[in-house]
Amino acid sequence: MGSISIIGTGNMARTIGALAVAGGNTVEVMGRDQAKAADLAKALGGSATTGEWGAVPAGDIVIVALLSAGVVPAVAHYGDALAGKVIVDISNPFNSAADGLVHGEGTSIAQEAAKAAPAGASVVKAFNTIFRHVLEKGRPAVFIAGDDAHAKARVETFVKSLGLRPLDVGDLKMAYWLEGAGVITMGLARHGVGNWDFALDVA
Ligand SMILES: NC(=O)c1ccc[n+]([C@@H]2O[C@H](COP(=O)([O-])OP(=O)(O)OC[C@H]3O[C@@H](n4cnc5c(N)ncnc54)[C@H](OP(=O)(O)O)[C@@H]3O)[C@@H](O)[C@H]2O)c1
C-alpha cells in the first residue's frame, strides 16, 4: 500500500492515521509538539513512525491535519521539504459561528496552501465534509478537488485503501465549494438532520 505522512496530532490525525494503518499504509506523524507526535505514532501502532516538524516527510502523500489557521503557515514553514509531495488539505475554515467561512469567495485554504507550496508539489482538498466520528465508524464518500490528475489519482488510491469511496468534484478552485459544503454539513447537523451522525454523499 501507500506511504503517508500526517502533519498534526489532533483528532483527525488520529482517525485518518488509524484508518491508514488498518488499510496497510506506512504512516509517519509530524507535530509541532514532538512528544504528542511520538505518542500518536505509538498509539497508531503498526509501523507508524515520528518525523521532525519541518523535515522532509517520509510519505508521498502529506495530510495536513491542522486547524485551518495553521495550514498555510505550516506549508510555508516546510517549504522545499514538500517538493514533489501530494499535500492534502482537510481543513474547514469556519467563522466563529460556523455558519460561514473566514475567507471570501474566490479562494480557499487549499488554494492558499497551493500558493505557499514549493514547485512540484500538488495540493488536493479532501475529507473536510466528514465529521471525525462518522469517518471512524461509517463509510462516507470522500469528496476531493485538485488541479493535478496524477495527484488526485494517488489520493483516490489512498482513500480506497481506507475502505472509503473517493468522489472527484473537479479542479482545486472547487475547494471553495467543498469548504462551503463543510458549512452546509454544520447547518444540517444543527437544523434539518438534528444530529452529527451523518455525512453528505451521492445516492
Ligand atoms: N474534527 C472533525 O470532525 C473534522 C472533520 C473534518 C475536517 N476537520 C478539519 O481537520 C483539521 C483538524 O481538526 P481536528 O479535529 O483534528 O482538530 P484538533 O483535534 O484540535 O487538532 C488540531 C491540530 O492542529 C494543530 N494546530 C493548531 N493550530 C496550529 C497552528 N497555528 N500551527 C500548527 N499546528 C496547529 C494542533 O497542534 P497542538 O496540539 O500542538 O496545538 C493539533 O495537532 C481542522 O482544520 C478541521 O477543520 C475536522
Side-chain angles (χ1 to χ4, degrees), residues 97-183:
D99 62 359
L101 299 171
V102 295
H103 54 68
E105 193 170 342
T107 194
S108 60
I109 297 295
Q111 286 163 283
E112 296 305 314
K115 288 180 198 164
S122 304
V123 175
V124 174
K125 186 89 188 180
F127 292 104
N128 74 295
T129 63
I130 309 165
F131 295 126
R132 180 191 55 79
H133 60 281
V134 176
L135 193 55
E136 259 175 12
K137 295 182 202 152
R139 288 288 174 265
V142 178
F143 300 122
I144 67 172
D147 287 337
D148 181 331
H150 183 59
K152 279 198 287 197
R154 285 161 75 183
V155 174
E156 286 177 351
T157 299
F158 171 64
V159 168
K160 285 178 190 165
S161 80
L162 310 185
L164 306 172
R165 181 170 63 130
L167 279 177
D168 184 356
V169 304
D171 294 345
L172 195 63
K173 65 177 185 294
M174 293 298 284
Y176 171 78
W177 301 104
L178 284 184
E179 291 176 5
V183 177

Side-chain angles (χ1 to χ4, degrees), residues 68-90:
S68 62
V71 173
V72 175
V75 170
H77 174 74
Y78 272 74
D80 286 343
L82 294 174
K85 303 293 183 184
V86 177
I87 301 166
V88 178
D89 166 41
I90 69 167

Side-chain angles (χ1 to χ4, degrees), residues 27-117:
V27 176
E28 176 190 50
V29 181
M30 310 175 103
R32 62 179 175 180
D33 181 328
Q34 190 74 15
K36 282 187 188 174
D39 285 350
L40 178 53
K42 194 174 168 196
L44 292 177
S47 57
T49 58
T50 310
E52 235 176 79
W53 181 256
V56 176
D60 302 323
I61 294 176
V62 180
I63 296 169
V64 184
L66 304 176
L67 296 187
S68 62
V71 173
V72 175
V75 170
H77 174 74
Y78 272 74
D80 286 343
L82 294 174
K85 303 293 183 184
V86 177
I87 301 166
V88 178
D89 166 41
I90 69 167
S91 69
N92 278 311
F94 295 148
N95 64 15
S96 56
D99 62 359
L101 299 171
V102 295
H103 54 68
E105 193 170 342
T107 194
S108 60
I109 297 295
Q111 286 163 283
E112 296 305 314
K115 288 180 198 164

Side-chain angles (χ1 to χ4, degrees), residues 13-25:
R14 184 173 294 268
T15 295
I16 293 174
L19 290 171
V21 168
N25 297 278

